[in-house]
Amino acid sequence: MPLTDKFGRPITDLRISITDRCNYKCVYCRTGNEGALYGDLPFEDYLRMARVLVGMGVTKIRLTGGEPLLRKGVVEFVRDLAQLRSPNNGHRGRDQGREGDPLDIALTTNGHLLADLAQPLKNAGLTRVTVSMDAVDPDRFARITRVANGYDHVLAGIRAARRAGLWPLKVNCVLMRGFNEDQIIPFGMFAREEGVTVRFIEFMPLEEGRTWSPNTVVTLDEILARMAEYRPLVEIPHARSETARRYRFDDGVGEIGIIAPVSHPFCGHCSRIRITSDGKIRTCLFSVWDHDLHAQMQRGASDEELEEFIRGVIQKKEERHHIGEPDFVPASRTMVHIGG
Ligand code: SAM
């Protein structure tokens, strides 16, 4: 039986947060406190959760946090995940691996520690990496991340990932009005020069500081208009399940993407569930509750009982988010404690 929610959406994409600590304090995410509120679990617990979910139809796993590279043992964990194989999940026609293929194992990082870890992670079986980077100017970068001298580390991390063959390499930039909307064109140039795909993300109300308002969001339309002042863009056809709209520059050099959950929501194609660093399942970034998978393990549940619990949870997956609507209720956790 494929893992499908009550709206018929196949669940194939798992994000595991392996810590809710972070060494950056990005203005759109953190308040500047030191981080861990919920703590983390031994890797063997995440591995069991992943194994059960892969057996149920998950084919993509993304490690996130907090900052996942802060966690000692992350390379060995990737090696263990790389032993898992794609299931026969019954979702034919999607861009999923065939039965028995290795999983797609990705990681989202701020890149600060990536320069030394890129090659070991690749050797361990990591397929792809996404680096978050919100300015291509060192001073602006420091103002957004509230960390001095981070820019050079992140740039070195991006280049090391490329050398290691962690490809395609995506660089995610959250745009927040008043901080970095003037970085749109510089990022277009960066995409072309560094050969990476830069993806702009609309700012969502998931920050600790509760500073979000509709005015702080730099929307897809605005990003496209600004980039067109630099060079014409041509839209690349994309799969319905892809969260990013993709564009290449008219001369074929460089690609950008825009992830627009606020102005162009894609909940109808959401194939994700998340496990927080303390072992709770979250069915939507904007959930107002979690489902305690780790507690089931602690009480001695068998794999079959975990599967039954997970199937029940998946049926509660929210139809869509309500950002910007009068009935919007903030999520019960902020992004750093969910795992983006
Ligand atoms: N530390 C890692 C990193 O920096 O990529 C992984 C965790 S971080 C929470 C995951 C992603 O969430 C990053 O790309 C970050 O930019 C994004 N993010 C954080 N807060 C956000 C917000 N309020 N709206 C949109 N994206 C956000």
Side-chain angles (χ1 to χ4, degrees), residues 202-234:
E202 290 178 347
F203 176 37
M204 292 180 277
L206 286 165
E207 76 293 7
E208 289 181 330
R210 301 291 184 212
T211 48
W212 188 93
S213 75
N215 290 341
T216 57
V217 181
V218 182
T219 62
L220 176 138
D221 291 345
E222 191 175 337
I223 298 165
L224 286 178
R226 185 70 65 88
M227 196 63 94
E229 291 167 15
Y230 166 52
R231 277 204 82 97
L233 289 167
V234 180

mmCIF file of all heavy atoms in Angstrom, residues 202-234:
data_model
loop_
_atom_site.group_PDB
_atom_site.id
_atom_site.type_symbol
_atom_site.label_atom_id
_atom_site.label_comp_id
_atom_site.label_asym_id
_atom_site.label_seq_id
_atom_site.Cartn_x
_atom_site.Cartn_y
_atom_site.Cartn_z
ATOM 1 N N GLU A 202 10.571 32.836 -0.686
ATOM 2 C CA GLU A 202 9.772 33.864 -0.008
ATOM 3 C C GLU A 202 9.801 33.634 1.503
ATOM 4 O O GLU A 202 9.676 32.486 1.968
ATOM 5 C CB GLU A 202 8.321 33.824 -0.513
ATOM 6 C CG GLU A 202 8.174 34.310 -1.950
ATOM 7 C CD GLU A 202 6.739 34.227 -2.463
ATOM 8 O OE1 GLU A 202 5.885 33.571 -1.802
ATOM 9 O OE2 GLU A 202 6.469 34.780 -3.534
ATOM 10 N N PHE A 203 9.963 34.722 2.216
ATOM 11 C CA PHE A 203 9.999 34.717 3.688
ATOM 12 C C PHE A 203 8.639 34.253 4.229
ATOM 13 O O PHE A 203 7.592 34.782 3.863
ATOM 14 C CB PHE A 203 10.322 36.145 4.136
ATOM 15 C CG PHE A 203 10.326 36.398 5.616
ATOM 16 C CD1 PHE A 203 10.790 35.459 6.529
ATOM 17 C CD2 PHE A 203 9.891 37.633 6.102
ATOM 18 C CE1 PHE A 203 10.807 35.729 7.890
ATOM 19 C CE2 PHE A 203 9.910 37.917 7.460
ATOM 20 C CZ PHE A 203 10.357 36.965 8.353
ATOM 21 N N MET A 204 8.678 33.252 5.114
ATOM 22 C CA MET A 204 7.431 32.719 5.689
ATOM 23 C C MET A 204 7.350 33.059 7.178
ATOM 24 O O MET A 204 8.391 33.223 7.830
ATOM 25 C CB MET A 204 7.398 31.189 5.543
ATOM 26 C CG MET A 204 7.271 30.706 4.132
ATOM 27 S SD MET A 204 7.237 28.894 4.065
ATOM 28 C CE MET A 204 8.977 28.493 4.131
ATOM 29 N N PRO A 205 6.154 33.114 7.727
ATOM 30 C CA PRO A 205 6.011 33.456 9.153
ATOM 31 C C PRO A 205 6.385 32.271 10.054
ATOM 32 O O PRO A 205 5.527 31.669 10.696
ATOM 33 C CB PRO A 205 4.535 33.837 9.288
ATOM 34 C CG PRO A 205 3.865 33.161 8.152
ATOM 35 C CD PRO A 205 4.847 33.032 7.041
ATOM 36 N N LEU A 206 7.655 31.953 10.086
ATOM 37 C CA LEU A 206 8.145 30.817 10.889
ATOM 38 C C LEU A 206 9.347 31.233 11.728
ATOM 39 O O LEU A 206 10.093 30.402 12.218
ATOM 40 C CB LEU A 206 8.574 29.671 9.960
ATOM 41 C CG LEU A 206 7.442 28.889 9.304
ATOM 42 C CD1 LEU A 206 7.964 28.053 8.146
ATOM 43 C CD2 LEU A 206 6.748 27.996 10.340
ATOM 44 N N GLU A 207 9.529 32.548 11.869
ATOM 45 C CA GLU A 207 10.714 33.050 12.556
ATOM 46 C C GLU A 207 10.446 33.201 14.048
ATOM 47 O O GLU A 207 9.309 33.392 14.469
ATOM 48 C CB GLU A 207 11.139 34.383 11.923
ATOM 49 C CG GLU A 207 10.307 35.605 12.269
ATOM 50 C CD GLU A 207 8.874 35.600 11.733
ATOM 51 O OE1 GLU A 207 8.411 34.604 11.178
ATOM 52 O OE2 GLU A 207 8.190 36.628 11.942
ATOM 53 N N GLU A 208 11.531 33.134 14.833
ATOM 54 C CA GLU A 208 11.371 33.246 16.290
ATOM 55 C C GLU A 208 10.919 34.644 16.706
ATOM 56 O O GLU A 208 10.210 34.807 17.688
ATOM 57 C CB GLU A 208 12.701 32.919 16.984
ATOM 58 C CG GLU A 208 13.069 31.453 16.901
ATOM 59 C CD GLU A 208 14.373 31.122 17.601
ATOM 60 O OE1 GLU A 208 15.272 31.978 17.678
ATOM 61 O OE2 GLU A 208 14.498 29.985 18.072
ATOM 62 N N GLY A 209 11.357 35.650 15.945
ATOM 63 C CA GLY A 209 11.116 37.036 16.370
ATOM 64 C C GLY A 209 9.730 37.573 16.047
ATOM 65 O O GLY A 209 9.382 38.676 16.445
ATOM 66 N N ARG A 210 8.935 36.794 15.319
ATOM 67 C CA ARG A 210 7.589 37.222 14.900
ATOM 68 C C ARG A 210 7.608 38.616 14.265
ATOM 69 O O ARG A 210 6.855 39.518 14.653
ATOM 70 C CB ARG A 210 6.613 37.197 16.092
ATOM 71 C CG ARG A 210 6.469 35.834 16.751
ATOM 72 C CD ARG A 210 5.760 34.848 15.859
ATOM 73 N NE ARG A 210 5.544 33.556 16.523
ATOM 74 C CZ ARG A 210 5.523 32.382 15.889
ATOM 75 N NH1 ARG A 210 5.733 32.310 14.589
ATOM 76 N NH2 ARG A 210 5.291 31.273 16.535
ATOM 77 N N THR A 211 8.472 38.775 13.271
ATOM 78 C CA THR A 211 8.581 40.049 12.575
ATOM 79 C C THR A 211 7.877 40.022 11.220
ATOM 80 O O THR A 211 7.829 41.028 10.528
ATOM 81 C CB THR A 211 10.062 40.396 12.324
ATOM 82 O OG1 THR A 211 10.681 39.228 11.763
ATOM 83 C CG2 THR A 211 10.791 40.793 13.593
ATOM 84 N N TRP A 212 7.364 38.844 10.852
ATOM 85 C CA TRP A 212 6.772 38.693 9.522
ATOM 86 C C TRP A 212 5.525 39.573 9.363
ATOM 87 O O TRP A 212 4.705 39.681 10.274
ATOM 88 C CB TRP A 212 6.370 37.230 9.299
ATOM 89 C CG TRP A 212 5.924 36.908 7.898
ATOM 90 C CD1 TRP A 212 6.699 36.439 6.896
ATOM 91 C CD2 TRP A 212 4.594 37.018 7.360
ATOM 92 N NE1 TRP A 212 5.954 36.254 5.758
ATOM 93 C CE2 TRP A 212 4.657 36.606 6.006
ATOM 94 C CE3 TRP A 212 3.373 37.447 7.864
ATOM 95 C CZ2 TRP A 212 3.533 36.589 5.175
ATOM 96 C CZ3 TRP A 212 2.249 37.443 7.037
ATOM 97 C CH2 TRP A 212 2.346 37.011 5.706
ATOM 98 N N SER A 213 5.397 40.179 8.209
ATOM 99 C CA SER A 213 4.132 40.792 7.790
ATOM 100 C C SER A 213 4.129 40.670 6.273
ATOM 101 O O SER A 213 5.201 40.476 5.666
ATOM 102 C CB SER A 213 4.045 42.259 8.211
ATOM 103 O OG SER A 213 4.878 43.017 7.357
ATOM 104 N N PRO A 214 2.980 40.777 5.618
ATOM 105 C CA PRO A 214 2.975 40.639 4.156
ATOM 106 C C PRO A 214 3.986 41.561 3.480
ATOM 107 O O PRO A 214 4.586 41.210 2.463
ATOM 108 C CB PRO A 214 1.540 40.996 3.774
ATOM 109 C CG PRO A 214 0.735 40.666 4.985
ATOM 110 C CD PRO A 214 1.619 40.963 6.168
ATOM 111 N N ASN A 215 4.213 42.740 4.066
ATOM 112 C CA ASN A 215 5.139 43.700 3.448
ATOM 113 C C ASN A 215 6.585 43.240 3.457
ATOM 114 O O ASN A 215 7.391 43.748 2.676
ATOM 115 C CB ASN A 215 5.095 45.047 4.202
ATOM 116 C CG ASN A 215 3.787 45.737 3.961
ATOM 117 O OD1 ASN A 215 3.101 45.417 3.002
ATOM 118 N ND2 ASN A 215 3.444 46.662 4.842
ATOM 119 N N THR A 216 6.937 42.336 4.370
ATOM 120 C CA THR A 216 8.337 41.894 4.456
ATOM 121 C C THR A 216 8.664 40.849 3.381
ATOM 122 O O THR A 216 9.821 40.500 3.193
ATOM 123 C CB THR A 216 8.646 41.278 5.840
ATOM 124 O OG1 THR A 216 7.737 40.196 6.060
ATOM 125 C CG2 THR A 216 8.537 42.305 6.949
ATOM 126 N N VAL A 217 7.621 40.345 2.699
ATOM 127 C CA VAL A 217 7.828 39.276 1.711
ATOM 128 C C VAL A 217 8.191 39.885 0.356
ATOM 129 O O VAL A 217 7.483 40.756 -0.150
ATOM 130 C CB VAL A 217 6.546 38.422 1.550
ATOM 131 C CG1 VAL A 217 6.777 37.292 0.549
ATOM 132 C CG2 VAL A 217 6.093 37.888 2.895
ATOM 133 N N VAL A 218 9.281 39.432 -0.214
ATOM 134 C CA VAL A 218 9.639 39.820 -1.587
ATOM 135 C C VAL A 218 9.099 38.695 -2.471
ATOM 136 O O VAL A 218 9.552 37.551 -2.387
ATOM 137 C CB VAL A 218 11.172 39.967 -1.738
ATOM 138 C CG1 VAL A 218 11.516 40.424 -3.144
ATOM 139 C CG2 VAL A 218 11.718 40.934 -0.687
ATOM 140 N N THR A 219 8.102 39.018 -3.278
ATOM 141 C CA THR A 219 7.343 37.963 -3.954
ATOM 142 C C THR A 219 7.989 37.517 -5.271
ATOM 143 O O THR A 219 8.842 38.214 -5.839
ATOM 144 C CB THR A 219 5.914 38.436 -4.288
ATOM 145 O OG1 THR A 219 6.036 39.541 -5.183
ATOM 146 C CG2 THR A 219 5.142 38.827 -3.050
ATOM 147 N N LEU A 220 7.508 36.389 -5.738
ATOM 148 C CA LEU A 220 7.959 35.835 -7.024
ATOM 149 C C LEU A 220 7.890 36.881 -8.129
ATOM 150 O O LEU A 220 8.864 37.084 -8.863
ATOM 151 C CB LEU A 220 7.080 34.620 -7.362
ATOM 152 C CG LEU A 220 7.290 33.936 -8.700
ATOM 153 C CD1 LEU A 220 7.251 32.423 -8.519
ATOM 154 C CD2 LEU A 220 6.241 34.332 -9.724
ATOM 155 N N ASP A 221 6.764 37.588 -8.238
ATOM 156 C CA ASP A 221 6.611 38.567 -9.330
ATOM 157 C C ASP A 221 7.670 39.662 -9.227
ATOM 158 O O ASP A 221 8.232 40.102 -10.233
ATOM 159 C CB ASP A 221 5.212 39.198 -9.286
ATOM 160 C CG ASP A 221 4.141 38.184 -9.652
ATOM 161 O OD1 ASP A 221 4.496 37.120 -10.196
ATOM 162 O OD2 ASP A 221 2.955 38.445 -9.375
ATOM 163 N N GLU A 222 7.931 40.082 -8.000
ATOM 164 C CA GLU A 222 8.918 41.147 -7.795
ATOM 165 C C GLU A 222 10.331 40.652 -8.152
ATOM 166 O O GLU A 222 11.125 41.376 -8.763
ATOM 167 C CB GLU A 222 8.853 41.587 -6.330
ATOM 168 C CG GLU A 222 9.624 42.826 -6.040
ATOM 169 C CD GLU A 222 9.424 43.305 -4.592
ATOM 170 O OE1 GLU A 222 8.403 42.962 -3.960
ATOM 171 O OE2 GLU A 222 10.318 44.030 -4.116
ATOM 172 N N ILE A 223 10.626 39.428 -7.786
ATOM 173 C CA ILE A 223 11.951 38.862 -8.078
ATOM 174 C C ILE A 223 12.146 38.766 -9.594
ATOM 175 O O ILE A 223 13.186 39.154 -10.141
ATOM 176 C CB ILE A 223 12.108 37.462 -7.430
ATOM 177 C CG1 ILE A 223 11.996 37.567 -5.906
ATOM 178 C CG2 ILE A 223 13.443 36.814 -7.835
ATOM 179 C CD1 ILE A 223 11.778 36.231 -5.198
ATOM 180 N N LEU A 224 11.107 38.287 -10.280
ATOM 181 C CA LEU A 224 11.216 38.147 -11.740
ATOM 182 C C LEU A 224 11.404 39.508 -12.402
ATOM 183 O O LEU A 224 12.233 39.666 -13.306
ATOM 184 C CB LEU A 224 9.951 37.481 -12.297
ATOM 185 C CG LEU A 224 9.806 35.985 -12.038
ATOM 186 C CD1 LEU A 224 8.484 35.478 -12.608
ATOM 187 C CD2 LEU A 224 10.975 35.207 -12.623
ATOM 188 N N ALA A 225 10.643 40.500 -11.927
ATOM 189 C CA ALA A 225 10.739 41.834 -12.534
ATOM 190 C C ALA A 225 12.136 42.409 -12.322
ATOM 191 O O ALA A 225 12.739 42.977 -13.235
ATOM 192 C CB ALA A 225 9.672 42.748 -11.936
ATOM 193 N N ARG A 226 12.652 42.234 -11.096
ATOM 194 C CA ARG A 226 13.980 42.784 -10.810
ATOM 195 C C ARG A 226 15.057 42.090 -11.642
ATOM 196 O O ARG A 226 15.942 42.726 -12.216
ATOM 197 C CB ARG A 226 14.266 42.630 -9.308
ATOM 198 C CG ARG A 226 15.557 43.269 -8.840
ATOM 199 C CD ARG A 226 15.500 44.795 -8.870
ATOM 200 N NE ARG A 226 14.526 45.325 -7.936
ATOM 201 C CZ ARG A 226 14.805 45.609 -6.658
ATOM 202 N NH1 ARG A 226 16.010 45.437 -6.192
ATOM 203 N NH2 ARG A 226 13.869 46.081 -5.854
ATOM 204 N N MET A 227 14.959 40.751 -11.734
ATOM 205 C CA MET A 227 15.991 40.008 -12.470
ATOM 206 C C MET A 227 15.938 40.344 -13.958
ATOM 207 O O MET A 227 16.980 40.367 -14.628
ATOM 208 C CB MET A 227 15.812 38.498 -12.240
ATOM 209 C CG MET A 227 17.013 37.681 -12.620
ATOM 210 S SD MET A 227 18.474 38.064 -11.619
ATOM 211 C CE MET A 227 18.319 36.824 -10.340
ATOM 212 N N ALA A 228 14.735 40.601 -14.467
ATOM 213 C CA ALA A 228 14.608 40.922 -15.899
ATOM 214 C C ALA A 228 15.323 42.229 -16.246
ATOM 215 O O ALA A 228 15.677 42.463 -17.402
ATOM 216 C CB ALA A 228 13.134 40.981 -16.283
ATOM 217 N N GLU A 229 15.535 43.086 -15.251
ATOM 218 C CA GLU A 229 16.295 44.323 -15.509
ATOM 219 C C GLU A 229 17.759 43.985 -15.808
ATOM 220 O O GLU A 229 18.476 44.773 -16.417
ATOM 221 C CB GLU A 229 16.259 45.250 -14.282
ATOM 222 C CG GLU A 229 14.902 45.848 -14.014
ATOM 223 C CD GLU A 229 14.846 46.497 -12.626
ATOM 224 O OE1 GLU A 229 15.910 46.720 -12.008
ATOM 225 O OE2 GLU A 229 13.721 46.754 -12.170
ATOM 226 N N TYR A 230 18.185 42.833 -15.347
ATOM 227 C CA TYR A 230 19.571 42.398 -15.564
ATOM 228 C C TYR A 230 19.685 41.633 -16.877
ATOM 229 O O TYR A 230 20.467 42.000 -17.761
ATOM 230 C CB TYR A 230 20.004 41.551 -14.359
ATOM 231 C CG TYR A 230 21.257 40.738 -14.521
ATOM 232 C CD1 TYR A 230 22.452 41.323 -14.961
ATOM 233 C CD2 TYR A 230 21.253 39.372 -14.225
ATOM 234 C CE1 TYR A 230 23.601 40.558 -15.101
ATOM 235 C CE2 TYR A 230 22.396 38.613 -14.357
ATOM 236 C CZ TYR A 230 23.571 39.201 -14.796
ATOM 237 O OH TYR A 230 24.703 38.447 -14.942
ATOM 238 N N ARG A 231 18.889 40.556 -17.017
ATOM 239 C CA ARG A 231 18.897 39.761 -18.254
ATOM 240 C C ARG A 231 17.545 39.085 -18.402
ATOM 241 O O ARG A 231 16.957 38.684 -17.396
ATOM 242 C CB ARG A 231 19.951 38.638 -18.173
ATOM 243 C CG ARG A 231 21.359 39.018 -18.501
ATOM 244 C CD ARG A 231 22.123 37.780 -18.952
ATOM 245 N NE ARG A 231 21.867 37.507 -20.356
ATOM 246 C CZ ARG A 231 22.694 37.901 -21.330
ATOM 247 N NH1 ARG A 231 23.805 38.530 -21.058
ATOM 248 N NH2 ARG A 231 22.407 37.623 -22.583
ATOM 249 N N PRO A 232 17.078 38.870 -19.616
ATOM 250 C CA PRO A 232 15.812 38.146 -19.790
ATOM 251 C C PRO A 232 15.915 36.708 -19.268
ATOM 252 O O PRO A 232 16.968 36.089 -19.356
ATOM 253 C CB PRO A 232 15.601 38.151 -21.308
ATOM 254 C CG PRO A 232 16.458 39.261 -21.818
ATOM 255 C CD PRO A 232 17.617 39.370 -20.880
ATOM 256 N N LEU A 233 14.807 36.232 -18.739
ATOM 257 C CA LEU A 233 14.733 34.868 -18.220
ATOM 258 C C LEU A 233 13.762 34.054 -19.065
ATOM 259 O O LEU A 233 12.775 34.593 -19.578
ATOM 260 C CB LEU A 233 14.202 34.884 -16.786
ATOM 261 C CG LEU A 233 15.125 35.441 -15.706
ATOM 262 C CD1 LEU A 233 14.337 35.673 -14.422
ATOM 263 C CD2 LEU A 233 16.290 34.485 -15.445
ATOM 264 N N VAL A 234 14.025 32.763 -19.170
ATOM 265 C CA VAL A 234 13.124 31.862 -19.885
ATOM 266 C C VAL A 234 12.705 30.783 -18.887
ATOM 267 O O VAL A 234 13.567 30.155 -18.254
ATOM 268 C CB VAL A 234 13.862 31.185 -21.066
ATOM 269 C CG1 VAL A 234 12.926 30.251 -21.824
ATOM 270 C CG2 VAL A 234 14.473 32.236 -21.974
#
